[in-house]
Structures are given as structure tokens and as C-alpha cells.
């Protein structure tokens, strides 16, 4: 099976009952990918609804404070709904509409992808059902309310630990039961082919803009591009346009939780091994029997036991580096960027900011770093306050 492979990773490891759905989707995507009408409708949604292109902001205060390379921030936090997820969701929901689907299903963990999907469905007038682990619906009641407000139905998934991985399993099952009118809008660059390729393509608007913006501003490419990695969609979107430029170093920043030597970590590339999970061959956090390990990060968006297969290949080819960032380092970066630049980053994005602070200390003032801010941090303020021992009621 060589379809949708990235080196030895990727593929289409799904049950017989799901094969017709992924084959239909693959054919539809291949057609739309090269269709100027589809691309121009998508660009119109991205520009005139989501608010693209996003700023490439020169972080002057941070640059001067660290005394090293020029630091630029790619402001995905300024998109409508406050994160990069809208780029992918608008692409997939528009594609589903072209396929004649009337109903979108999606998994969500903390609720960010569910809210983005419900948003796109409200705009494009499709039914929307979001599967969310029962435990997560209790922890993220505000996002459940948002999804309902946007017209979506939220299904609490009771199986397993009632978290993201169980929501993915349930959504895949529902898709195989009902493919005729339903599209599964997956939330990251993961799962069976064509999802990792398709989601990368939709998110690569980040690096296409970044490349053009930095060439206009600096007349050359950056020395390093940094992004946080959960499933890996904002990171692959930030890397895509630079993969063939070997002078640009690529860094994916994982949620190390309490540290890679503790059981409470989500740094899959540090602690994982090759396996097959959620339809793809990739690096997975697992025990010696191949059971998927529970993972932990302060950041709900990075709390996934796998990683998109293209990242596994970029690491194997040594084209990209994957670095662990602990909760404490991320929280310090969250506070630092707020104080120094007046920008409150998502706690996920703060993992990339934390690595930028470390990396800048090893680089020269004539060099350039671009950091993707995948989202805004308003959603995280109460949790960070609690982490610091303050009680905030939200
Ligand atoms: C969901 C999310 C992430 C993690 O997802 P990726 O697919 O790895 O990009 C990162 N940042 C924010 C703000 C998110 O909402």
C-alpha cells in the first residue's frame, strides 16, 4: 500500500466499511485541488470571512530583549475564531458541499476544532454534529455552549476515557455508518489518506503567506521556522512552503507536560515508537504491548498520543527537528509574550514561543526566526491563573 505515504509513514489503514468513504473523498479532493473555481471560492472565504492574509508581525521588543536574531510572529491568532483551525475547516466544508454532502461530523478535544467546524457549517448552511469525549464536555462547557449557539449538535462520547481519542473513534464509526450524506471533517493533519495531505494543503496558506511576506520585508528566507505540534496541522502548514529550502531550519515544538522522563507527557516524538493508529502509520506513544499510552500536557490542543505522518517522515529524514517544551516553560513564555509584546498567545502557541526564546540565545542578530502563533490565549487565562495558584471565575 503506497498511496498517501510519506516515506514509510501515512497510508490508509481503515476497516473495509470505511474504504468507500476515503476513496470517494480522495477522488473529490483530487478534482477540487486543481479546480480554479474551487480555489477562488476558498480564497474568498479565507480573505473575506476568516480575515486573511494574517499579519507577519516583527516582534521588536522581544528581538531587542533577547539580543539575538530578528523575531517575526505569524499571527494566526488574528483569524476569525482565534486560531489556524478555520483555514482547514473552510476548505473541508466547502469541499463537502461540492460533493453534495448535507451533513458534517467532527471530533473535538478541548472544543476548538468543534467550534471552528460549527462556524463553517453555520456560514455554509450544513448540518453539524460534533463528537466530544464526555469528560471533555464537562471540562469545556463553554465551548459546548458555543457549538450549540452556532447551531451544531454535540454528542458526548462515553467510551474509553471520554477524551479526544474516543471522540475520533466514534466519529469514524459514525462516518462508516452514514457516508451518503455525511463528510467527516478531521481537525488535524492526521488520520488515513487523503486527510494528512488535504489538511496540509489547506493549512499551507500559512507558509505561502509567510514566505512572500518575509521576502518582501527582508529580501531573504528565514533561518528558522517554529510551530507547536499536537496532531501537527499548524506546524505542517507553517513548514510546507519551506520544505524544499534546506537553508530554512524547521522546528516542531511538542507538549512535554511534566517532562519527557515523566509519565505525564505528550511529546510523542521523544517517547513514541512506530505503530498504526487512527488509520495511519506514524509515531505513537505506546507501552511495550502496543497499547496507546495516556498523554498529558497543560495544553489541551497538544494532548494527542500520535503525530501527523508527514512529521514522522520529516523527522526520519532529519528535515525537521522536534523539541519538547514543558508546561512550566510554556507558561513562562505565555506570560513573557503578554508582558513584552502585548500579545496573549494560546498556551499551545506558547510552546513555540518558549523554544524561540531558547533558540534565539544561540543565534546572531543578522539571522531571522519566524514563529507561528497558532491561536490567541483568552481561552487559557483561567487555567494559567489556576496553574499559578490564583482563582479566576470564568
Ligand atoms: C488545536 C490547536 C493546536 C494543535 O493542533 P495542530 O493540528 O497540531 O496544529 C495548536 N494551537 C491551537 C491554538 C489549537 O487550537
Amino acid at each position: 500500500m503506497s498511496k498517501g505515504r510519506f516515506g514509510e509513514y501515512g497510508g490508509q489503514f481503515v476497516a473495509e466499511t470505511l474504504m468507500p468513504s476515503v476513496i470517494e473523498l480522495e477522488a473529490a479532493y483530487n478534482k477540487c485541488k486543481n479546480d480554479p473555481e474551487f480555489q477562488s471560492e476558498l480564497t474568498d472565504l479565507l480573505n473575506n470571512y476568516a480575515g486573511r492574509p494574517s499579519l507577519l508581525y516583527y516582534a521588536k521588543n522581544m528581538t531587542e530583549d533577547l539580543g539575538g536574531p530578528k523575531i517575526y510572529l505569524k499571527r494566526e491568532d488574528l483569524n476569525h475564531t482565534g486560531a489556524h483551525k478555520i483555514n482547514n475547516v473552510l476548505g473541508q466544508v466547502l469541499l463537502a458541499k461540492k460533493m453534495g454532502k448535507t451533513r458534517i461530523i467532527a471530533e473535538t478535544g478541548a472544543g476548538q476544532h468543534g467550534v471552528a467546524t460549527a462556524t463553517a457549517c453555520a456560514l455554509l448552511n450544513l448540518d453539524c454534529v460534533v463528537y466530544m469525549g464526555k469528560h471533555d464536555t464537562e471540562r469545556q462547557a463553554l465551548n459546548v455552549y458555543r457549538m450549540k449557539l452556532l447551531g451544531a449538535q454535540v454528542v458526548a462520547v462515553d467510551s474509553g476515557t471520554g477524551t479526544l481519542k474516543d471522540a475520533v473513534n466514534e466519529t469514524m464509526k459514525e462516518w462508516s455508518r452514514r457516508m451518503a450524506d455525511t463528510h467527516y471533517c478531521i481537525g488535524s493533519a492526521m488520520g488515513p489518506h487523503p486527510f494528512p495531505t488535504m489538511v496540509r494543503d489547506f493549512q499551507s496558506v500559512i507558509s505561502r503567506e509567510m514566505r512572500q511576506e518575509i521576502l518582501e520585508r527582508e529580501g531573504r528566507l528565514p533561518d528558522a521556522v517554529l510551530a507547536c505540534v499536537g496532531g501537527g496541522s499548524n506546524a505542517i502548514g507553517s513548514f510546507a512552503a519551506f520544505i524544499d529550502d534546506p537553508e530554512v531550519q524547521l522546528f516542531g515544538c511538542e507538549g512535554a507536560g511534566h517532562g519527557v522522563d515523566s509519565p505525564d507527557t505528550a511529546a510523542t516524538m521523544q517517547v513514541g515508537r512506530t505503530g498504526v493508529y487512527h488509520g495511519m502509520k506514524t509515531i505513537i506513544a505506546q507501552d511495550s504491548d502496543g497499547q496507546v499510552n495516556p498523554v498529558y500536557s497543560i495544553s489541551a490542543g497538544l494532548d494527542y498520543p500520535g503525530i501527523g505522518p508527514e512529521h514522522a517522515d520529516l523527522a526520519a529524514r532529519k528535515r525537521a527537528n522536534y523539541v519538547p517544551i514543558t508546561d512550566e516553560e510554556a507558561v513562562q513564555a505565555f506570560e513573557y509574550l503578554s508582558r513584552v509584546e502585548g500579545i496573549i498567545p494560546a498556551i499551545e502557541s506558547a510552546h513555540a514561543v518558549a523554544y524561540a526564546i531558547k533558540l534565539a540565545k544561540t543565534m546572531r542578530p543578522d539571522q531571522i526566526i519566524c514563529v507561528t502563533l497558532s491561536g490567541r490565549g483568552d481561552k487559557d487565562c483561567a487555567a494559567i491563573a489556576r496553574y499559578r495558584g490564583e482563582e479566576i471565575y470564568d
Side-chain angles (χ1 to χ4, degrees):
M1 194 161 52
S2 64
K3 227 173 15 174
R5 286 295 181 134
F6 305 95
E8 75 164 294
Y9 300 104
Q12 221 165 31
F13 295 88
V14 297
E16 279 306 310
T17 49
L18 256 187
M19 276 314 279
S21 308
V22 292
I23 288 169
E24 184 194 34
L25 179 61
E26 188 182 346
Y29 179 60
N30 284 337
K31 194 161 141 249
C32 282
K33 192 168 61 177
N34 301 312
D35 175 7
E37 188 185 306
F38 177 83
Q39 291 300 338
S40 95
E41 277 179 56
L42 179 56
T43 300
D44 182 57
L45 290 172
L46 290 171
N47 293 357
N48 299 316
Y49 185 70
R52 304 203 71 86
S54 72
L55 273 182
L56 184 69
Y57 166 75
Y58 172 49
K60 185 162 175 282
N61 296 345
M62 188 176 169
T63 298
E64 285 173 1
D65 181 56
L66 297 172
K70 277 190 168 173
I71 296 171
Y72 282 88
L73 304 176
K74 183 61 173 157
R75 300 286 310 273
E76 294 300 302
D77 59 313
L78 296 177
N79 297 338
H80 178 48
T81 67
H84 69 291
K85 289 202 167 73
I86 194 80
N87 304 328
N88 167 45
V89 155
L90 287 172
Q92 285 198 50
V93 175
L94 183 64
L95 175 64
K97 203 159 174 155
K98 300 278 175 200
M99 293 171 75
K101 308 287 179 187
T102 54
R103 184 170 172 268
I104 300 291
I105 55 174
E107 86 293 344
T108 198
Q112 300 298 110
H113 175 59
V115 169
T117 306
T119 299
C121 288
L123 178 71
L124 296 173
N125 192 24
L126 279 92
D127 292 339
C128 181
V129 183
V130 179
Y131 291 82
M132 189 172 188
K134 188 163 191 321
H135 187 56
D136 290 334
T137 61
E138 288 155 9
R139 288 191 290 190
Q140 305 288 344
L142 189 57
N143 274 340
V144 174
Y145 175 75
R146 284 194 178 105
M147 288 183 264
K148 290 182 179 165
L149 190 63
L150 292 159
Q153 180 195 341
V154 178
V155 177
V157 176
D158 234 342
S159 57
T161 47
T163 58
L164 175 61
K165 65 175 176 39
D166 310 298
V168 173
N169 290 334
E170 194 53 40
T171 319
M172 286 201 176
K173 246 188 264 169
E174 170 65 10
W175 197 28
S176 64
R177 282 192 291 258
R178 192 168 161 178
M179 72 171 273
D181 65 348
T182 298
H183 171 69
Y184 177 11
C185 181
I186 212 163
S188 190
M190 51 158 283
H193 179 66
F195 286 111
T197 299
M198 182 172 72
V199 176
R200 175 204 59 206
D201 292 350
F202 290 141
Q203 290 293 357
S204 68
V205 66
I206 300 173
S207 56
R208 282 186 270 119
E209 287 177 6
M210 199 195 282
R211 199 171 198 286
Q212 192 189 336
E213 288 162 328
I214 201 76
L215 285 173
E216 279 165 17
R217 303 272 282 273
E218 296 286 346
R220 68 180 191 87
L221 296 180
D223 297 277
V225 173
L226 279 59
C228 64
V229 179
S233 69
N234 90 90
I236 203 67
S238 302
F239 296 171
F242 299 107
I243 289 177
D244 294 331
D245 300 305
E247 70 270 33
V248 181
Q249 284 195 282
L250 307 173
F251 294 93
C253 308
E254 293 193 296
H258 297 153
V260 295
D261 298 325
S262 89
D264 304 324
T265 185
T268 309
M269 296 299 270
Q270 308 297 320
V271 303
R273 286 184 289 118
T274 299
V276 171
Y277 190 52
H278 287 156
M280 60 184 162
K281 184 173 180 186
T282 191
I283 304 292
I284 295 150
Q286 54 190 308
D287 67 16
S288 52
D289 295 329
Q291 288 296 316
V292 172
N293 279 339
V295 286
Y296 163 82
S297 162
I298 190 170
S299 151
L302 304 187
D303 205 346
Y304 180 67
I307 184 169
E310 192 166 2
H311 289 293
D313 180 54
L314 289 174
R317 293 197 282 127
K318 300 199 176 356
R319 178 62 192 95
N321 306 289
Y322 295 84
V323 295
I325 297 294
T326 63
D327 286 359
E328 178 59 29
E329 290 170 322
V331 170
Q332 283 180 21
F334 175 91
E335 294 165 339
Y336 176 83
L337 197 70
S338 303
R339 195 172 62 241
V340 172
E341 291 289 351
I343 298 171
I344 304 173
I347 188 64
E348 291 83 5
S349 321
H351 287 69
V353 175
Y355 193 68
I357 294 169
K358 289 190 193 185
L359 188 64
K361 292 179 180 153
T362 71
M363 290 172 67
R364 299 184 312 267
D366 63 332
Q367 294 183 298
I368 300 168
I369 295 181
C370 291
V371 185
T372 297
L373 285 193
S374 53
R376 65 170 184 236
D378 309 58
K379 67 182 179 55
D380 299 309
C381 288
I384 303 303
R386 213 172 299 126
Y387 178 89
R388 288 301 192 207
E390 289 174 49
E391 199 51 58
I392 301 275
Y393 297 95
D394 64 335

